[in-house]
Amino acid sequence: MTRLVLFDCDGTLVDSAAVIHGCMERAFAEAGLAAPDLAATKSVIGLTLNLAIAQMLGREVDPAIDALAERYKHHFHAMRGEADFSEPLYPGIAMLVAELAKRDDILVGMVTGKSRRGVQAVFSTHGFGEAFLVVRTAEDCPSKPHPAMVLECCAFAGVDPASTFVVGDAIYDMQMARSAGARAIGVGWGYHDARALMLSGAERVLQEPAELMPLLA
């Protein structure tokens, strides 16, 4: 039986919190807003950008929020060119992706709040883009926790949601998986704590990437 493994990106594959927070600080400062704290930034990583910013400010999405999101994107692209830019893989992720890519009975995809450009940059940096059969981003589907990202990946791959594992660090990933009828697997090395993940529907929270393999046996 073929299984589909759909990874979140930020907080699951790569540790990008410092970069995301730095861009938020720059965008907020330009708008004359108080800088958010790191915990607030981490709490919204995974949502589509304008929804994330709106949640941080306790507002609905409006033209001013959309303008802030555009300034964030500007700063992110600028920061990518800076010498100290870094979105490192979490320990064990490269080995896990390589192992999954070898399996004939497993397909790999990504469901992320990143942009397509951001995903391609991660693939280019870490050299494992060919392992991912299907990707759905913030530009393709409604924001998590809407199930569209998962359901579109399942349809593309020809795998039923019940045979699909959504692996992520955020409550939005767990809620999205459950809404789609997929299996929700949390990770303990990201930005939301294990208890929150379990309360949001995770059937298990991994402490090391290698712990995923026995679940796919």
Side-chain angles (χ1 to χ4, degrees):
M1 180 180 64
T2 300
R3 283 153 299 231
L4 175 63
V5 179
L6 298 175
F7 288 102
D8 168 54
C9 189
D10 297 310
T12 302
L13 298 177
V14 299
D15 186 0
S16 49
V19 172
I20 292 170
H21 187 60
C23 292
M24 288 292 186
E25 287 182 319
R26 294 183 188 188
F28 278 43
E30 270 189 349
L33 298 169
D37 62 36
L38 181 58
T41 298
K42 286 183 174 181
S43 75
V44 299
I45 292 175
L47 294 174
T48 297
L49 182 56
N50 60 351
L51 291 179
I53 293 172
Q55 184 166 307
M56 291 172 76
L57 294 173
R59 290 161 47 182
E60 298 294 323
V61 175
D62 58 26
I65 295 292
D66 289 335
L68 263 175
E70 289 304 311
R71 294 311 300 164
Y72 173 99
K73 293 176 185 177
H74 167 81
H75 290 299
F76 192 91
H77 299 325
M79 192 178 287
R80 190 173 290 283
E82 296 174 2
D84 60 349
F85 179 86
S86 178
E87 284 184 308
L89 293 178
Y90 286 101
I93 289 296
M95 185 178 297
L96 173 62
V97 172
E99 187 66 25
L100 292 172
K102 294 177 185 176
R103 295 274 295 267
D104 293 333
D105 59 336
I106 295 174
L107 302 174
V108 180
M110 182 185 291
V111 284
T112 177
K114 269 190 178 311
S115 66
R116 280 268 169 185
R117 184 174 178 179
V119 169
Q120 289 305 314
V122 168
F123 285 166
S124 177
T125 298
H126 299 294
F128 59 17
E130 291 184 359
F132 290 79
L133 172 70
V134 59
V135 175
R136 288 296 182 269
T137 73
E139 296 166 7
D140 304 313
C141 297
S143 178
K144 301 173 185 182
H146 194 284
M149 288 187 190
V150 174
L151 295 176
E152 288 194 13
C153 287
C154 289
F156 182 90
V159 177
D160 190 87
S163 298
T164 298
F165 296 74
V166 175
V167 182
D169 72 301
I171 61 173
Y172 318 115
D173 299 311
M174 305 301 98
Q175 293 165 344
M176 174 178 65
R178 290 299 187 182
S179 294
R183 296 180 66 174
I185 308 297
V187 305
W189 54 82
Y191 307 140
H192 290 193
D193 66 45
R195 182 173 182 274
L197 294 174
M198 294 298 293
L199 289 173
S200 299
E203 65 177 77
R204 181 169 174 178
V205 177
L206 310 178
Q207 297 307 312
E208 299 288 342
E211 293 176 9
L212 178 64
M213 297 305 295
L215 300 181
L216 304 175

